[in-house]
Amino acid sequence: MKNVVLLGSTGSIGTSTVKVAEDLPGQIRLIGLAAGGNADLLLAQTRKHKPAVISISDPAKAKQLQDTLGASTQVYCGSEGLLKLATLPAADIVLIAIVGTAGLQPALAAIRAGKDIAVASKEILVMAGEIVMNEARKHGVRVLAVDSEHSAIFQCLDGKPGASIRKLWLTASGGPFRDKTLWPKEKFPEITVERALKHPSWVMGRKVTIDSATLFNKGLEMIEARWLFDIEMARVGVLVHPQSIVHSMVEFVDGSIIAQLSTPDMCLPIQYALTYPDRAASDRVQTNFPKLGTLTFEEPDTERFPSILLARRAGEMCGTMPAVFNAANEVAVEAFVNRKINFPQITETVRRTMDAHAVVEHPTLEQILAADAWARREAAK
Ligand code: MG
């Protein structure tokens, strides 16, 4: 039985994680749940799974939940609540699926308390990959990936050392504007928010769906892979694979390539992270090859999607640059969703912010957060 703390239980990854726990009642126990604002869903999850401790951002909502649930459940609030949950003595693993930078401190707190962490929030490794991985090594804990691509690479590597890798291949669906004939570069300024929110193969949150349309999502994943698997950016490749069946691949030094495949379903990588190193039986995911027929691969079009090149640059420079890349993108996506800038201006905003940034090498967490705040102000200009 694994005792799991889930930070971000009401979001897209959070609700999938709850499903996985329901699939495997004898193997996964949710002992702590934290939510942002959705008190109703958190209450329903708490009634069903009976975690001893929960947390919600807003103190007033926490008070209401405490009154409703009574003494059997301890309700915390705010960032303090996240830290309490991340360090619960009974927790074996802490899954962090909070959007934004709020997951950073809880991730480090969990590691320092000797917990394995499963990371769904990209910001944690993109912004502070060096610090997080160093701390994990120091405390002898695992950093497990929940993202389908990184889970795939982790499964393909199967414990092989970095020296056996020639290249990591992250696959990308290519997003809704992959087709060059339908969506030539000249048409990109006309892309609407509604159109960008229609993703061909995954159902996800709003920010990550826009990031999939710009390929910034893949850029963030390239940087994550660089830290998770301790490999230089030059050996992290991207392949567009519209069917989203091959979730990523490892090319080994002998030329052999191992891929992980399945019908796209986030429950699979979540389950693998929570049950690792075991594989738990589940009928949830089925893959029918004759029905799929063809799997195709193509080079990413960096002319239309320069985010890939910006990500490579940020991941090569390291220091505070990945944090700047991430923060500027968040601001730009928000501006796009609020119809203040057009689609190509998302990338343009990030490029300009990166150009204006003076990188701090091997930064402290404070320097990373300062770079994040600076990039938000700079991008907003
Ligand atoms: Mg992904």
mmCIF file with all atom_site columns, all heavy atoms in Angstrom, residues 13-25 28 30 49 265-272 274-275 282 284:
data_model
loop_
_atom_site.group_PDB
_atom_site.id
_atom_site.type_symbol
_atom_site.label_atom_id
_atom_site.label_alt_id
_atom_site.label_comp_id
_atom_site.label_asym_id
_atom_site.label_entity_id
_atom_site.label_seq_id
_atom_site.pdbx_PDB_ins_code
_atom_site.Cartn_x
_atom_site.Cartn_y
_atom_site.Cartn_z
_atom_site.occupancy
_atom_site.B_iso_or_equiv
_atom_site.pdbx_formal_charge
_atom_site.auth_seq_id
_atom_site.auth_comp_id
_atom_site.auth_asym_id
_atom_site.auth_atom_id
_atom_site.pdbx_PDB_model_num
ATOM 1   N N   . ILE A 1 13  ? -5.059  16.732 -13.882 1.00 0.00 ? 13  ILE A N   1
ATOM 2   C CA  . ILE A 1 13  ? -4.198  15.633 -13.411 1.00 0.00 ? 13  ILE A CA  1
ATOM 3   C C   . ILE A 1 13  ? -4.706  15.099 -12.079 1.00 0.00 ? 13  ILE A C   1
ATOM 4   O O   . ILE A 1 13  ? -4.718  13.895 -11.827 1.00 0.00 ? 13  ILE A O   1
ATOM 5   C CB  . ILE A 1 13  ? -2.730  16.110 -13.259 1.00 0.00 ? 13  ILE A CB  1
ATOM 6   C CG1 . ILE A 1 13  ? -2.148  16.502 -14.621 1.00 0.00 ? 13  ILE A CG1 1
ATOM 7   C CG2 . ILE A 1 13  ? -1.861  15.047 -12.591 1.00 0.00 ? 13  ILE A CG2 1
ATOM 8   C CD1 . ILE A 1 13  ? -1.858  15.377 -15.560 1.00 0.00 ? 13  ILE A CD1 1
ATOM 9   N N   . GLY A 1 14  ? -5.165  16.009 -11.222 1.00 0.00 ? 14  GLY A N   1
ATOM 10  C CA  . GLY A 1 14  ? -5.659  15.623 -9.900  1.00 0.00 ? 14  GLY A CA  1
ATOM 11  C C   . GLY A 1 14  ? -6.831  14.657 -9.997  1.00 0.00 ? 14  GLY A C   1
ATOM 12  O O   . GLY A 1 14  ? -6.850  13.614 -9.329  1.00 0.00 ? 14  GLY A O   1
ATOM 13  N N   . THR A 1 15  ? -7.813  14.979 -10.838 1.00 0.00 ? 15  THR A N   1
ATOM 14  C CA  . THR A 1 15  ? -8.990  14.107 -10.942 1.00 0.00 ? 15  THR A CA  1
ATOM 15  C C   . THR A 1 15  ? -8.611  12.766 -11.577 1.00 0.00 ? 15  THR A C   1
ATOM 16  O O   . THR A 1 15  ? -9.168  11.732 -11.204 1.00 0.00 ? 15  THR A O   1
ATOM 17  C CB  . THR A 1 15  ? -10.130 14.778 -11.734 1.00 0.00 ? 15  THR A CB  1
ATOM 18  O OG1 . THR A 1 15  ? -9.609  15.302 -12.949 1.00 0.00 ? 15  THR A OG1 1
ATOM 19  C CG2 . THR A 1 15  ? -10.760 15.915 -10.947 1.00 0.00 ? 15  THR A CG2 1
ATOM 20  N N   . SER A 1 16  ? -7.653  12.770 -12.500 1.00 0.00 ? 16  SER A N   1
ATOM 21  C CA  . SER A 1 16  ? -7.170  11.493 -13.050 1.00 0.00 ? 16  SER A CA  1
ATOM 22  C C   . SER A 1 16  ? -6.472  10.666 -11.971 1.00 0.00 ? 16  SER A C   1
ATOM 23  O O   . SER A 1 16  ? -6.596  9.440  -11.935 1.00 0.00 ? 16  SER A O   1
ATOM 24  C CB  . SER A 1 16  ? -6.199  11.727 -14.213 1.00 0.00 ? 16  SER A CB  1
ATOM 25  O OG  . SER A 1 16  ? -6.863  12.294 -15.314 1.00 0.00 ? 16  SER A OG  1
ATOM 26  N N   . THR A 1 17  ? -5.740  11.347 -11.098 1.00 0.00 ? 17  THR A N   1
ATOM 27  C CA  . THR A 1 17  ? -5.050  10.638 -10.010 1.00 0.00 ? 17  THR A CA  1
ATOM 28  C C   . THR A 1 17  ? -6.063  9.997  -9.064  1.00 0.00 ? 17  THR A C   1
ATOM 29  O O   . THR A 1 17  ? -5.867  8.866  -8.606  1.00 0.00 ? 17  THR A O   1
ATOM 30  C CB  . THR A 1 17  ? -4.131  11.611 -9.239  1.00 0.00 ? 17  THR A CB  1
ATOM 31  O OG1 . THR A 1 17  ? -3.242  12.227 -10.170 1.00 0.00 ? 17  THR A OG1 1
ATOM 32  C CG2 . THR A 1 17  ? -3.334  10.890 -8.160  1.00 0.00 ? 17  THR A CG2 1
ATOM 33  N N   . VAL A 1 18  ? -7.148  10.702 -8.795  1.00 0.00 ? 18  VAL A N   1
ATOM 34  C CA  . VAL A 1 18  ? -8.207  10.148 -7.940  1.00 0.00 ? 18  VAL A CA  1
ATOM 35  C C   . VAL A 1 18  ? -8.805  8.898  -8.601  1.00 0.00 ? 18  VAL A C   1
ATOM 36  O O   . VAL A 1 18  ? -9.056  7.885  -7.943  1.00 0.00 ? 18  VAL A O   1
ATOM 37  C CB  . VAL A 1 18  ? -9.284  11.221 -7.642  1.00 0.00 ? 18  VAL A CB  1
ATOM 38  C CG1 . VAL A 1 18  ? -10.493 10.608 -6.935  1.00 0.00 ? 18  VAL A CG1 1
ATOM 39  C CG2 . VAL A 1 18  ? -8.692  12.346 -6.787  1.00 0.00 ? 18  VAL A CG2 1
ATOM 40  N N   . LYS A 1 19  ? -8.993  8.953  -9.938  1.00 0.00 ? 19  LYS A N   1
ATOM 41  C CA  . LYS A 1 19  ? -9.493  7.775  -10.671 1.00 0.00 ? 19  LYS A CA  1
ATOM 42  C C   . LYS A 1 19  ? -8.547  6.587  -10.506 1.00 0.00 ? 19  LYS A C   1
ATOM 43  O O   . LYS A 1 19  ? -8.982  5.448  -10.289 1.00 0.00 ? 19  LYS A O   1
ATOM 44  C CB  . LYS A 1 19  ? -9.577  8.087  -12.176 1.00 0.00 ? 19  LYS A CB  1
ATOM 45  C CG  . LYS A 1 19  ? -10.903 8.663  -12.616 1.00 0.00 ? 19  LYS A CG  1
ATOM 46  C CD  . LYS A 1 19  ? -10.970 8.604  -14.147 1.00 0.00 ? 19  LYS A CD  1
ATOM 47  C CE  . LYS A 1 19  ? -11.366 9.940  -14.726 1.00 0.00 ? 19  LYS A CE  1
ATOM 48  N NZ  . LYS A 1 19  ? -11.106 10.035 -16.170 1.00 0.00 ? 19  LYS A NZ  1
ATOM 49  N N   . VAL A 1 20  ? -7.240  6.860  -10.631 1.00 0.00 ? 20  VAL A N   1
ATOM 50  C CA  . VAL A 1 20  ? -6.240  5.790  -10.475 1.00 0.00 ? 20  VAL A CA  1
ATOM 51  C C   . VAL A 1 20  ? -6.340  5.182  -9.076  1.00 0.00 ? 20  VAL A C   1
ATOM 52  O O   . VAL A 1 20  ? -6.320  3.951  -8.910  1.00 0.00 ? 20  VAL A O   1
ATOM 53  C CB  . VAL A 1 20  ? -4.811  6.326  -10.743 1.00 0.00 ? 20  VAL A CB  1
ATOM 54  C CG1 . VAL A 1 20  ? -3.753  5.308  -10.342 1.00 0.00 ? 20  VAL A CG1 1
ATOM 55  C CG2 . VAL A 1 20  ? -4.653  6.704  -12.218 1.00 0.00 ? 20  VAL A CG2 1
ATOM 56  N N   . ALA A 1 21  ? -6.489  6.034  -8.071  1.00 0.00 ? 21  ALA A N   1
ATOM 57  C CA  . ALA A 1 21  ? -6.618  5.540  -6.688  1.00 0.00 ? 21  ALA A CA  1
ATOM 58  C C   . ALA A 1 21  ? -7.871  4.676  -6.555  1.00 0.00 ? 21  ALA A C   1
ATOM 59  O O   . ALA A 1 21  ? -7.872  3.665  -5.848  1.00 0.00 ? 21  ALA A O   1
ATOM 60  C CB  . ALA A 1 21  ? -6.670  6.716  -5.720  1.00 0.00 ? 21  ALA A CB  1
ATOM 61  N N   . GLU A 1 22  ? -8.940  5.064  -7.269  1.00 0.00 ? 22  GLU A N   1
ATOM 62  C CA  . GLU A 1 22  ? -10.184 4.283  -7.213  1.00 0.00 ? 22  GLU A CA  1
ATOM 63  C C   . GLU A 1 22  ? -10.045 2.948  -7.962  1.00 0.00 ? 22  GLU A C   1
ATOM 64  O O   . GLU A 1 22  ? -10.665 1.951  -7.586  1.00 0.00 ? 22  GLU A O   1
ATOM 65  C CB  . GLU A 1 22  ? -11.347 5.113  -7.771  1.00 0.00 ? 22  GLU A CB  1
ATOM 66  C CG  . GLU A 1 22  ? -11.793 6.152  -6.758  1.00 0.00 ? 22  GLU A CG  1
ATOM 67  C CD  . GLU A 1 22  ? -12.626 7.296  -7.332  1.00 0.00 ? 22  GLU A CD  1
ATOM 68  O OE1 . GLU A 1 22  ? -13.011 7.233  -8.518  1.00 0.00 ? 22  GLU A OE1 1
ATOM 69  O OE2 . GLU A 1 22  ? -12.886 8.253  -6.587  1.00 0.00 ? 22  GLU A OE2 1
ATOM 70  N N   . ASP A 1 23  ? -9.206  2.943  -9.000  1.00 0.00 ? 23  ASP A N   1
ATOM 71  C CA  . ASP A 1 23  ? -8.918  1.694  -9.729  1.00 0.00 ? 23  ASP A CA  1
ATOM 72  C C   . ASP A 1 23  ? -8.153  0.698  -8.848  1.00 0.00 ? 23  ASP A C   1
ATOM 73  O O   . ASP A 1 23  ? -8.268  -0.509 -9.028  1.00 0.00 ? 23  ASP A O   1
ATOM 74  C CB  . ASP A 1 23  ? -8.027  1.974  -10.955 1.00 0.00 ? 23  ASP A CB  1
ATOM 75  C CG  . ASP A 1 23  ? -8.812  2.572  -12.117 1.00 0.00 ? 23  ASP A CG  1
ATOM 76  O OD1 . ASP A 1 23  ? -10.049 2.631  -12.023 1.00 0.00 ? 23  ASP A OD1 1
ATOM 77  O OD2 . ASP A 1 23  ? -8.170  2.972  -13.113 1.00 0.00 ? 23  ASP A OD2 1
ATOM 78  N N   . LEU A 1 24  ? -7.317  1.230  -7.948  1.00 0.00 ? 24  LEU A N   1
ATOM 79  C CA  . LEU A 1 24  ? -6.391  0.381  -7.183  1.00 0.00 ? 24  LEU A CA  1
ATOM 80  C C   . LEU A 1 24  ? -6.577  0.571  -5.674  1.00 0.00 ? 24  LEU A C   1
ATOM 81  O O   . LEU A 1 24  ? -5.657  1.021  -4.977  1.00 0.00 ? 24  LEU A O   1
ATOM 82  C CB  . LEU A 1 24  ? -4.939  0.727  -7.569  1.00 0.00 ? 24  LEU A CB  1
ATOM 83  C CG  . LEU A 1 24  ? -4.572  0.661  -9.051  1.00 0.00 ? 24  LEU A CG  1
ATOM 84  C CD1 . LEU A 1 24  ? -3.183  1.222  -9.288  1.00 0.00 ? 24  LEU A CD1 1
ATOM 85  C CD2 . LEU A 1 24  ? -4.656  -0.769 -9.571  1.00 0.00 ? 24  LEU A CD2 1
ATOM 86  N N   . PRO A 1 25  ? -7.755  0.222  -5.166  1.00 0.00 ? 25  PRO A N   1
ATOM 87  C CA  . PRO A 1 25  ? -8.040  0.513  -3.754  1.00 0.00 ? 25  PRO A CA  1
ATOM 88  C C   . PRO A 1 25  ? -7.111  -0.208 -2.776  1.00 0.00 ? 25  PRO A C   1
ATOM 89  O O   . PRO A 1 25  ? -6.841  0.301  -1.696  1.00 0.00 ? 25  PRO A O   1
ATOM 90  C CB  . PRO A 1 25  ? -9.494  0.048  -3.580  1.00 0.00 ? 25  PRO A CB  1
ATOM 91  C CG  . PRO A 1 25  ? -9.756  -0.890 -4.702  1.00 0.00 ? 25  PRO A CG  1
ATOM 92  C CD  . PRO A 1 25  ? -8.857  -0.477 -5.831  1.00 0.00 ? 25  PRO A CD  1
ATOM 93  N N   . ILE A 1 28  ? -3.266  1.947  -3.465  1.00 0.00 ? 28  ILE A N   1
ATOM 94  C CA  . ILE A 1 28  ? -3.033  3.377  -3.304  1.00 0.00 ? 28  ILE A CA  1
ATOM 95  C C   . ILE A 1 28  ? -4.047  3.948  -2.317  1.00 0.00 ? 28  ILE A C   1
ATOM 96  O O   . ILE A 1 28  ? -5.244  3.732  -2.456  1.00 0.00 ? 28  ILE A O   1
ATOM 97  C CB  . ILE A 1 28  ? -3.168  4.106  -4.663  1.00 0.00 ? 28  ILE A CB  1
ATOM 98  C CG1 . ILE A 1 28  ? -2.033  3.679  -5.589  1.00 0.00 ? 28  ILE A CG1 1
ATOM 99  C CG2 . ILE A 1 28  ? -3.162  5.627  -4.477  1.00 0.00 ? 28  ILE A CG2 1
ATOM 100 C CD1 . ILE A 1 28  ? -2.200  4.158  -7.008  1.00 0.00 ? 28  ILE A CD1 1
ATOM 101 N N   . LEU A 1 30  ? -5.155  7.612  -0.609  1.00 0.00 ? 30  LEU A N   1
ATOM 102 C CA  . LEU A 1 30  ? -4.982  9.064  -0.608  1.00 0.00 ? 30  LEU A CA  1
ATOM 103 C C   . LEU A 1 30  ? -5.083  9.550  0.837   1.00 0.00 ? 30  LEU A C   1
ATOM 104 O O   . LEU A 1 30  ? -6.155  9.535  1.427   1.00 0.00 ? 30  LEU A O   1
ATOM 105 C CB  . LEU A 1 30  ? -6.061  9.725  -1.480  1.00 0.00 ? 30  LEU A CB  1
ATOM 106 C CG  . LEU A 1 30  ? -6.010  9.378  -2.970  1.00 0.00 ? 30  LEU A CG  1
ATOM 107 C CD1 . LEU A 1 30  ? -7.242  9.926  -3.696  1.00 0.00 ? 30  LEU A CD1 1
ATOM 108 C CD2 . LEU A 1 30  ? -4.740  9.912  -3.630  1.00 0.00 ? 30  LEU A CD2 1
ATOM 109 N N   . HIS A 1 49  ? -12.771 9.445  -0.049  1.00 0.00 ? 49  HIS A N   1
ATOM 110 C CA  . HIS A 1 49  ? -11.457 8.825  0.206   1.00 0.00 ? 49  HIS A CA  1
ATOM 111 C C   . HIS A 1 49  ? -10.988 8.961  1.652   1.00 0.00 ? 49  HIS A C   1
ATOM 112 O O   . HIS A 1 49  ? -10.004 8.328  2.033   1.00 0.00 ? 49  HIS A O   1
ATOM 113 C CB  . HIS A 1 49  ? -10.416 9.380  -0.767  1.00 0.00 ? 49  HIS A CB  1
ATOM 114 C CG  . HIS A 1 49  ? -10.671 8.918  -2.170  1.00 0.00 ? 49  HIS A CG  1
ATOM 115 N ND1 . HIS A 1 49  ? -10.179 7.737  -2.655  1.00 0.00 ? 49  HIS A ND1 1
ATOM 116 C CD2 . HIS A 1 49  ? -11.435 9.449  -3.154  1.00 0.00 ? 49  HIS A CD2 1
ATOM 117 C CE1 . HIS A 1 49  ? -10.607 7.572  -3.904  1.00 0.00 ? 49  HIS A CE1 1
ATOM 118 N NE2 . HIS A 1 49  ? -11.375 8.600  -4.224  1.00 0.00 ? 49  HIS A NE2 1
ATOM 119 N N   . ASP A 1 265 ? -3.810  8.244  -22.413 1.00 0.00 ? 265 ASP A N   1
ATOM 120 C CA  . ASP A 1 265 ? -4.641  8.338  -21.216 1.00 0.00 ? 265 ASP A CA  1
ATOM 121 C C   . ASP A 1 265 ? -3.713  8.669  -20.057 1.00 0.00 ? 265 ASP A C   1
ATOM 122 O O   . ASP A 1 265 ? -2.821  7.878  -19.726 1.00 0.00 ? 265 ASP A O   1
ATOM 123 C CB  . ASP A 1 265 ? -5.362  7.005  -20.954 1.00 0.00 ? 265 ASP A CB  1
ATOM 124 C CG  . ASP A 1 265 ? -6.379  7.119  -19.831 1.00 0.00 ? 265 ASP A CG  1
ATOM 125 O OD1 . ASP A 1 265 ? -6.135  7.888  -18.873 1.00 0.00 ? 265 ASP A OD1 1
ATOM 126 O OD2 . ASP A 1 265 ? -7.415  6.428  -19.890 1.00 0.00 ? 265 ASP A OD2 1
ATOM 127 N N   . MET A 1 266 ? -3.913  9.838  -19.454 1.00 0.00 ? 266 MET A N   1
ATOM 128 C CA  . MET A 1 266 ? -3.009  10.279 -18.386 1.00 0.00 ? 266 MET A CA  1
ATOM 129 C C   . MET A 1 266 ? -3.012  9.345  -17.181 1.00 0.00 ? 266 MET A C   1
ATOM 130 O O   . MET A 1 266 ? -2.067  9.351  -16.389 1.00 0.00 ? 266 MET A O   1
ATOM 131 C CB  . MET A 1 266 ? -3.356  11.712 -17.942 1.00 0.00 ? 266 MET A CB  1
ATOM 132 C CG  . MET A 1 266 ? -2.804  12.794 -18.840 1.00 0.00 ? 266 MET A CG  1
ATOM 133 S SD  . MET A 1 266 ? -1.059  12.582 -19.254 1.00 0.00 ? 266 MET A SD  1
ATOM 134 C CE  . MET A 1 266 ? -0.298  12.840 -17.652 1.00 0.00 ? 266 MET A CE  1
ATOM 135 N N   . CYS A 1 267 ? -4.068  8.535  -17.040 1.00 0.00 ? 267 CYS A N   1
ATOM 136 C CA  . CYS A 1 267 ? -4.104  7.619  -15.890 1.00 0.00 ? 267 CYS A CA  1
ATOM 137 C C   . CYS A 1 267 ? -2.921  6.651  -15.913 1.00 0.00 ? 267 CYS A C   1
ATOM 138 O O   . CYS A 1 267 ? -2.451  6.222  -14.853 1.00 0.00 ? 267 CYS A O   1
ATOM 139 C CB  . CYS A 1 267 ? -5.427  6.844  -15.873 1.00 0.00 ? 267 CYS A CB  1
ATOM 140 S SG  . CYS A 1 267 ? -6.815  7.889  -15.401 1.00 0.00 ? 267 CYS A SG  1
ATOM 141 N N   . LEU A 1 268 ? -2.447  6.325  -17.110 1.00 0.00 ? 268 LEU A N   1
ATOM 142 C CA  . LEU A 1 268 ? -1.353  5.357  -17.207 1.00 0.00 ? 268 LEU A CA  1
ATOM 143 C C   . LEU A 1 268 ? -0.035  5.885  -16.621 1.00 0.00 ? 268 LEU A C   1
ATOM 144 O O   . LEU A 1 268 ? 0.530   5.245  -15.722 1.00 0.00 ? 268 LEU A O   1
ATOM 145 C CB  . LEU A 1 268 ? -1.203  4.888  -18.665 1.00 0.00 ? 268 LEU A CB  1
ATOM 146 C CG  . LEU A 1 268 ? -0.236  3.758  -18.944 1.00 0.00 ? 268 LEU A CG  1
ATOM 147 C CD1 . LEU A 1 268 ? -0.462  2.565  -18.038 1.00 0.00 ? 268 LEU A CD1 1
ATOM 148 C CD2 . LEU A 1 268 ? -0.335  3.310  -20.396 1.00 0.00 ? 268 LEU A CD2 1
ATOM 149 N N   . PRO A 1 269 ? 0.459   7.042  -17.097 1.00 0.00 ? 269 PRO A N   1
ATOM 150 C CA  . PRO A 1 269 ? 1.688   7.549  -16.448 1.00 0.00 ? 269 PRO A CA  1
ATOM 151 C C   . PRO A 1 269 ? 1.511   7.873  -14.967 1.00 0.00 ? 269 PRO A C   1
ATOM 152 O O   . PRO A 1 269 ? 2.451   7.693  -14.179 1.00 0.00 ? 269 PRO A O   1
ATOM 153 C CB  . PRO A 1 269 ? 2.041   8.808  -17.252 1.00 0.00 ? 269 PRO A CB  1
ATOM 154 C CG  . PRO A 1 269 ? 0.865   9.131  -18.082 1.00 0.00 ? 269 PRO A CG  1
ATOM 155 C CD  . PRO A 1 269 ? 0.093   7.860  -18.267 1.00 0.00 ? 269 PRO A CD  1
ATOM 156 N N   . ILE A 1 270 ? 0.322   8.315  -14.570 1.00 0.00 ? 270 ILE A N   1
ATOM 157 C CA  . ILE A 1 270 ? 0.083   8.604  -13.148 1.00 0.00 ? 270 ILE A CA  1
ATOM 158 C C   . ILE A 1 270 ? 0.190   7.308  -12.345 1.00 0.00 ? 270 ILE A C   1
ATOM 159 O O   . ILE A 1 270 ? 0.876   7.240  -11.325 1.00 0.00 ? 270 ILE A O   1
ATOM 160 C CB  . ILE A 1 270 ? -1.308  9.257  -12.938 1.00 0.00 ? 270 ILE A CB  1
ATOM 161 C CG1 . ILE A 1 270 ? -1.335  10.667 -13.530 1.00 0.00 ? 270 ILE A CG1 1
ATOM 162 C CG2 . ILE A 1 270 ? -1.671  9.300  -11.450 1.00 0.00 ? 270 ILE A CG2 1
ATOM 163 C CD1 . ILE A 1 270 ? -2.729  11.281 -13.648 1.00 0.00 ? 270 ILE A CD1 1
ATOM 164 N N   . GLN A 1 271 ? -0.477  6.276  -12.840 1.00 0.00 ? 271 GLN A N   1
ATOM 165 C CA  . GLN A 1 271 ? -0.445  4.984  -12.139 1.00 0.00 ? 271 GLN A CA  1
ATOM 166 C C   . GLN A 1 271 ? 0.980   4.442  -12.046 1.00 0.00 ? 271 GLN A C   1
ATOM 167 O O   . GLN A 1 271 ? 1.405   3.935  -11.008 1.00 0.00 ? 271 GLN A O   1
ATOM 168 C CB  . GLN A 1 271 ? -1.349  3.968  -12.861 1.00 0.00 ? 271 GLN A CB  1
ATOM 169 C CG  . GLN A 1 271 ? -1.255  2.586  -12.225 1.00 0.00 ? 271 GLN A CG  1
ATOM 170 C CD  . GLN A 1 271 ? -2.188  1.573  -12.871 1.00 0.00 ? 271 GLN A CD  1
ATOM 171 O OE1 . GLN A 1 271 ? -3.346  1.851  -13.110 1.00 0.00 ? 271 GLN A OE1 1
ATOM 172 N NE2 . GLN A 1 271 ? -1.668  0.393  -13.154 1.00 0.00 ? 271 GLN A NE2 1
ATOM 173 N N   . TYR A 1 272 ? 1.729   4.588  -13.147 1.00 0.00 ? 272 TYR A N   1
ATOM 174 C CA  . TYR A 1 272 ? 3.103   4.066  -13.140 1.00 0.00 ? 272 TYR A CA  1
ATOM 175 C C   . TYR A 1 272 ? 3.952   4.776  -12.086 1.00 0.00 ? 272 TYR A C   1
ATOM 176 O O   . TYR A 1 272 ? 4.719   4.146  -11.350 1.00 0.00 ? 272 TYR A O   1
ATOM 177 C CB  . TYR A 1 272 ? 3.749   4.204  -14.528 1.00 0.00 ? 272 TYR A CB  1
ATOM 178 C CG  . TYR A 1 272 ? 5.052   3.447  -14.610 1.00 0.00 ? 272 TYR A CG  1
ATOM 179 C CD1 . TYR A 1 272 ? 5.058   2.058  -14.678 1.00 0.00 ? 272 TYR A CD1 1
ATOM 180 C CD2 . TYR A 1 272 ? 6.266   4.109  -14.580 1.00 0.00 ? 272 TYR A CD2 1
ATOM 181 C CE1 . TYR A 1 272 ? 6.247   1.345  -14.716 1.00 0.00 ? 272 TYR A CE1 1
ATOM 182 C CE2 . TYR A 1 272 ? 7.468   3.404  -14.619 1.00 0.00 ? 272 TYR A CE2 1
ATOM 183 C CZ  . TYR A 1 272 ? 7.445   2.025  -14.688 1.00 0.00 ? 272 TYR A CZ  1
ATOM 184 O OH  . TYR A 1 272 ? 8.620   1.328  -14.717 1.00 0.00 ? 272 TYR A OH  1
ATOM 185 N N   . LEU A 1 274 ? 2.896   6.209  -9.358  1.00 0.00 ? 274 LEU A N   1
ATOM 186 C CA  . LEU A 1 274 ? 2.454   5.902  -7.996  1.00 0.00 ? 274 LEU A CA  1
ATOM 187 C C   . LEU A 1 274 ? 2.739   4.465  -7.580  1.00 0.00 ? 274 LEU A C   1
ATOM 188 O O   . LEU A 1 274 ? 2.856   4.179  -6.392  1.00 0.00 ? 274 LEU A O   1
ATOM 189 C CB  . LEU A 1 274 ? 0.952   6.214  -7.842  1.00 0.00 ? 274 LEU A CB  1
ATOM 190 C CG  . LEU A 1 274 ? 0.567   7.691  -7.970  1.00 0.00 ? 274 LEU A CG  1
ATOM 191 C CD1 . LEU A 1 274 ? -0.915  7.879  -7.706  1.00 0.00 ? 274 LEU A CD1 1
ATOM 192 C CD2 . LEU A 1 274 ? 1.388   8.561  -7.009  1.00 0.00 ? 274 LEU A CD2 1
ATOM 193 N N   . THR A 1 275 ? 2.817   3.562  -8.538  1.00 0.00 ? 275 THR A N   1
ATOM 194 C CA  . THR A 1 275 ? 3.044   2.160  -8.175  1.00 0.00 ? 275 THR A CA  1
ATOM 195 C C   . THR A 1 275 ? 4.489   1.723  -8.405  1.00 0.00 ? 275 THR A C   1
ATOM 196 O O   . THR A 1 275 ? 4.864   0.621  -8.044  1.00 0.00 ? 275 THR A O   1
ATOM 197 C CB  . THR A 1 275 ? 2.122   1.204  -8.984  1.00 0.00 ? 275 THR A CB  1
ATOM 198 O OG1 . THR A 1 275 ? 2.381   1.396  -10.371 1.00 0.00 ? 275 THR A OG1 1
ATOM 199 C CG2 . THR A 1 275 ? 0.662   1.462  -8.681  1.00 0.00 ? 275 THR A CG2 1
ATOM 200 N N   . SER A 1 282 ? -4.467  -3.228 -14.608 1.00 0.00 ? 282 SER A N   1
ATOM 201 C CA  . SER A 1 282 ? -5.619  -2.344 -14.804 1.00 0.00 ? 282 SER A CA  1
ATOM 202 C C   . SER A 1 282 ? -6.116  -2.510 -16.232 1.00 0.00 ? 282 SER A C   1
ATOM 203 O O   . SER A 1 282 ? -5.322  -2.642 -17.163 1.00 0.00 ? 282 SER A O   1
ATOM 204 C CB  . SER A 1 282 ? -5.200  -0.890 -14.558 1.00 0.00 ? 282 SER A CB  1
ATOM 205 O OG  . SER A 1 282 ? -6.217  -0.026 -15.011 1.00 0.00 ? 282 SER A OG  1
ATOM 206 N N   . ARG A 1 284 ? -7.987  -0.267 -17.716 1.00 0.00 ? 284 ARG A N   1
ATOM 207 C CA  . ARG A 1 284 ? -8.385  1.060  -18.194 1.00 0.00 ? 284 ARG A CA  1
ATOM 208 C C   . ARG A 1 284 ? -7.876  1.377  -19.597 1.00 0.00 ? 284 ARG A C   1
ATOM 209 O O   . ARG A 1 284 ? -8.605  1.909  -20.424 1.00 0.00 ? 284 ARG A O   1
ATOM 210 C CB  . ARG A 1 284 ? -7.902  2.135  -17.211 1.00 0.00 ? 284 ARG A CB  1
ATOM 211 C CG  . ARG A 1 284 ? -8.330  3.527  -17.599 1.00 0.00 ? 284 ARG A CG  1
ATOM 212 C CD  . ARG A 1 284 ? -7.864  4.545  -16.584 1.00 0.00 ? 284 ARG A CD  1
ATOM 213 N NE  . ARG A 1 284 ? -8.608  4.460  -15.343 1.00 0.00 ? 284 ARG A NE  1
ATOM 214 C CZ  . ARG A 1 284 ? -9.826  4.983  -15.164 1.00 0.00 ? 284 ARG A CZ  1
ATOM 215 N NH1 . ARG A 1 284 ? -10.415 5.606  -16.142 1.00 0.00 ? 284 ARG A NH1 1
ATOM 216 N NH2 . ARG A 1 284 ? -10.438 4.873  -14.006 1.00 0.00 ? 284 ARG A NH2 1
#
